[in-house]
Every structure is written in structure tokens, then in C-alpha cells.
Amino acid sequence: MTENELIEGLIRHDRNAFRELVGNHRKKVIKTAFYFTQNMEDAEELAQDIFMETIESIKYFRKSSSLSTWIYRITVNKSLNLVRKNKRKKIFSSLEDLFSKKSEAGVQDLREPSHSATKLEENERRALLSQSIRSLPENQRITFILSKYDGLSYKEIAEVMNISISSVESLLHRARLNLQKKLARHFSEYVKK
Amino acid sequence: MECKDIRQNLFGIVENTLSPAFMAEVENHLTSCRECSEILSGFRQTTAIIEKDIAMEPDPFSGTRILQQLESAFFPEQLSERRSYFRILQPALLTLSLIVAILIGHSIGKKGINIIPAASSDQEMESVRSDLFISDFTDEDKTLFLNQ
């Protein structure tokens, strides 16, 4: 099935087109959603929403970019919405914790570990990395994830984000510098302890 | 080379995208600077998680779940039609299987099952008797035993 046939099929709500769409893009959608949310359950639930949205809005697709780029755009938007929603939830629950005098054990564990930087447990390293990526400005975070995790070219990222290639280069450069700075500062504090 | 040169190029060092001359200076610096060495090692191990995430594969059944959800969202009437067919068929199939089970049970019961074979002839009775322990006694022993 060509891309045009697939799009026509999706507009007609053809079952074979649905199967083709999910078969071709499932892995990419779930993985990208996971890179943003860092939670596989959330990523799978998001994937369902992303495919629903793709089919529902396919009639508005103008074919100025590839279908894949368009699906990436929906994936990034949906993932960022969920991350924002979870962040709001976290703020409310931490406020609740503050009033009920619960300690922020997870955050403290990450800030004040008792062992050497090189001997960090994998889950601690994962938490540190995702915390550092999450703390990047949104556009830097998107370029970093699409480039480093998804392996997209500058041109592809530019199409997904609807910005120029030079903007992508600049955002990615700043994202890498910021991440380096955050991680280097973190490990430098370890060494000094 | 200064420590800041290392810390500003951590990605380049880990990804090995810097010039060989620069990398040689990095190696040289790391041998004498414990702090930079620790920072680079921590950075390398932490960013290695990205490679693990890239290699990770989603659940293979997630595709089926997504398709089911799309079906229920875009073809709800067909799904409910299928459900109503199933609602009618389910009790009919259950009744049918119950009738079949009763018929099988009835036919087995009619034939009868011989669990213990009957001792039909004198020969068989004799063989049973000969199996008894008393047959091991001699005639003399039997007399002695009975007179006691």
C-alpha cells in the first residue's frame, strides 16, 4: 500500500489501512512517547490516543510533509501534554505531602547519595538522566530526544517542529551544553564529597 | 588542557567525534586529574542509558490492543452486533453441549461397566483357592492345625 493509498484508506475508515498504519508506526510511536514520558504504560496508552487522533484528523493532512513526520508531530504534542499534566499532578501531590509533612525521599536520594559517582545504581542514573532532560527548556528537550534517541536528521526535526534547520542546530547545541553542565555539576559534587 | 575543556566536551568525548589531537590531550589530562576522570566516567555511564532505551522493544501485543481500541471507536455498531450474536449463541451452545453430555452419559450407563470379572467356572474358583495360603500346608500340618 502506497502512502497515498494508506491515507485514502484511513479517510474511508478501511480496516486494512488501520492495520497498515499501526503495523508501520506502532514501534516508533510507543518508543518516542516512552522517551518523553519515561513510562512504558503511559507510552502505550498514549499510542492509542495518537493513532485515534491520526485517523480522526487525517482529512486535514495536507501532504506538505510525509505521513511519518506528521505522526511524529502528533506524538511529540501528545507526549508533552501528558508530561505537563503529570508535572501539574506532581506539584499538587508534593503540596499535599508538604502539608501532611511527608519527606521527598526520592529527590533527596538523588541529591545526596552516599557512594561514588561511578558506582551509581542504574535506576539512580536513569532518574538523574531523565530529571536532567526534563529540566531542559521544551524546544531543547524535543530536539535532543528526536536527535539522540530517535536518530532523526536536522531536516526531519525541522519538519516535525516546523522550524528552520539552523534553529534545530542551535537548539540541539544548547541542549547538549546544558545537559553536560547539569551532569558535570552533579558528578563534580560527588567527587568533592 | 584545562578541566573546563573536558567538561564542555563530554558528549564529544563519549561519542568520539573530536579530533585525534584533542582526544590525545584529553587522555593526557585524565591521567593526572581524578575529578575530571570521575566526571567523565559518571557521564559515560549515565548517557549509556540512552542506548539501552533505544534498544528497548515495546510489548508485541500492544498492536492488537491498539487495533481493538480503534475498532471499538470507529466501528462500535459492528462490535455491538457481534456482541449481540454472541449473546444469543452462548446459551444455545451451552444447552447443546449439555444435551450431548447427557446423551453420552446415558449410552455409557446403558452398556454397563464390568469392573470385577465374575468367577464363572469351577476352574477359576480352584485357581482362587490355590492362591490361599492354606494350600501351602501339607496334609499333616493341616490335621495338626485343626486339632489344636
Side-chain angles (χ1 to χ4, degrees):
Chain A
M1 205 182 276
T2 64
E3 192 163 295
N4 273 339
E5 285 168 344
L6 176 62
I7 293 165
E8 293 302 317
L10 292 176
I11 292 170
R12 285 198 315 270
H13 287 180
D14 171 36
R15 275 204 176 86
N16 287 335
F18 284 9
R19 242 172 263 136
E20 180 104 356
L21 174 80
V22 175
N24 289 351
H25 299 277
R26 176 185 64 91
K27 273 191 190 178
K28 186 185 73 189
V29 164
I30 295 176
K31 287 178 91 166
T32 306
F34 171 73
Y35 301 148
F36 279 95
T37 60
Q38 286 292 307
N39 182 304
M40 195 40 100
E41 270 181 45
D42 283 348
E44 278 194 20
E45 266 180 45
L46 263 181
Q48 295 183 349
D49 284 355
I50 290 159
F51 285 113
M52 289 275 283
E53 169 98 28
T54 306
I55 296 166
E56 276 169 357
S57 54
I58 194 79
K59 50 184 177 283
Y60 305 114
F61 178 56
R62 287 178 188 173
K63 298 177 189 173
S64 54
S65 61
S66 69
L67 181 64
S68 174
T69 304
W70 198 59
I71 293 171
Y72 257 119
R73 206 174 291 160
I74 296 173
T75 307
V76 171
N77 286 335
K78 288 255 175 202
S79 303
L80 286 175
N81 281 342
L82 186 78
V83 171
R84 282 187 212 118
K85 201 172 141 192
N86 286 346
K87 202 174 172 182
R88 277 200 296 272
K89 259 190 209 167
K90 225 175 185 177
I91 291 169
F92 278 122
S93 72
S94 61
L95 275 174
E96 274 176 13
D97 289 351
L98 196 72
F99 286 117
S100 62
K101 289 176 184 176
K102 280 181 193 170
S103 68
E104 290 180 326
V107 178
Q108 275 178 355
D109 283 351
L110 205 64
R111 282 189 202 137
E112 294 170 24
S114 54
H115 38 262
S116 156
T118 52
K119 286 176 187 168
L120 275 176
E121 292 296 328
E122 186 175 320
N123 54 353
E124 283 178 297
R125 270 188 257 130
R126 181 175 286 281
L128 170 66
L129 181 69
S130 80
Q131 205 178 54
S132 306
I133 294 173
R134 240 181 296 141
S135 69
L136 292 173
E138 206 166 87
N139 275 356
Q140 288 183 26
R141 200 182 339 148
I142 300 169
T143 47
F144 182 78
I145 289 175
L146 293 182
S147 165
K148 187 80 179 161
Y149 284 85
D150 281 303
L152 297 193
S153 66
Y154 290 173
K155 188 175 171 279
E156 286 169 320
I157 298 171
E159 280 175 5
V160 172
M161 294 178 74
N162 222 359
I163 55 174
S164 67
I165 293 176
S166 59
S167 299
V168 172
E169 280 173 351
S170 158
L171 282 169
L172 190 58
H173 179 69
R174 276 185 277 151
R176 284 161 69 96
L177 281 182
N178 282 335
L179 258 183
Q180 277 177 176
K181 208 189 283 176
K182 281 174 205 289
L183 292 173
R185 199 184 302 141
H186 181 87
F187 291 121
S188 171
E189 280 169 19
Y190 271 116
V191 179
K192 281 172 188 163
K193 271 174 194 169
Chain B
M1 177 169 278
E2 290 177 34
C3 293
K4 72 169 174 48
D5 297 321
I6 302 277
R7 290 165 206 197
Q8 283 172 0
N9 288 289
L10 289 167
F11 270 114
I13 297 168
V14 168
E15 290 166 352
N16 205 12
T17 52
L18 303 169
S19 70
F22 188 89
M23 288 302 280
E25 278 191 62
V26 169
E27 287 299 319
N28 199 24
H29 179 85
L30 291 178
T31 52
S32 57
C33 181
R34 189 184 145 262
E35 193 175 334
C36 280
S37 186
E38 285 263 342
I39 288 170
L40 180 63
S41 174
F43 185 85
R44 195 187 296 275
Q45 287 181 17
T46 305
T47 50
I49 289 175
I50 296 174
E51 300 306 317
K52 281 192 179 177
D53 282 354
I54 292 169
M56 170 272 321
E57 286 294 320
D59 181 359
F61 298 107
S62 57
T64 316
R65 286 195 289 271
I66 292 167
L67 278 171
Q68 272 175 352
Q69 215 223 356
L70 294 180
E71 290 246 337
S72 64
F74 291 99
F75 311 107
E77 67 291 340
Q78 286 180 21
L79 202 76
S80 67
E81 211 171 90
R82 244 184 265 164
R83 275 188 193 143
S84 64
Y85 276 135
F86 189 68
R87 224 174 285 142
I88 297 163
L89 273 176
Q90 197 186 27
L93 283 172
L94 263 173
T95 316
L96 195 72
S97 58
L98 204 68
I99 291 167
V100 170
I102 290 168
L103 284 174
I104 291 169
H106 181 71
S107 69
I108 289 172
K110 221 175 176 185
K111 278 183 190 169
I113 304 165
N114 294 328
I115 298 164
I116 306 163
S120 55
S121 66
D122 289 343
Q123 261 183 339
E124 278 175 13
M125 286 301 287
E126 190 52 44
S127 77
V128 170
R129 253 187 236 118
S130 67
D131 285 344
L132 294 172
F133 79 95
I134 196 124
S135 63
D136 294 340
F137 289 100
T138 58
D139 286 342
E140 208 175 313
D141 290 338
K142 277 181 204 164
T143 321
L144 268 170
F145 178 71
L146 292 169
N147 287 339
Q148 266 180 359

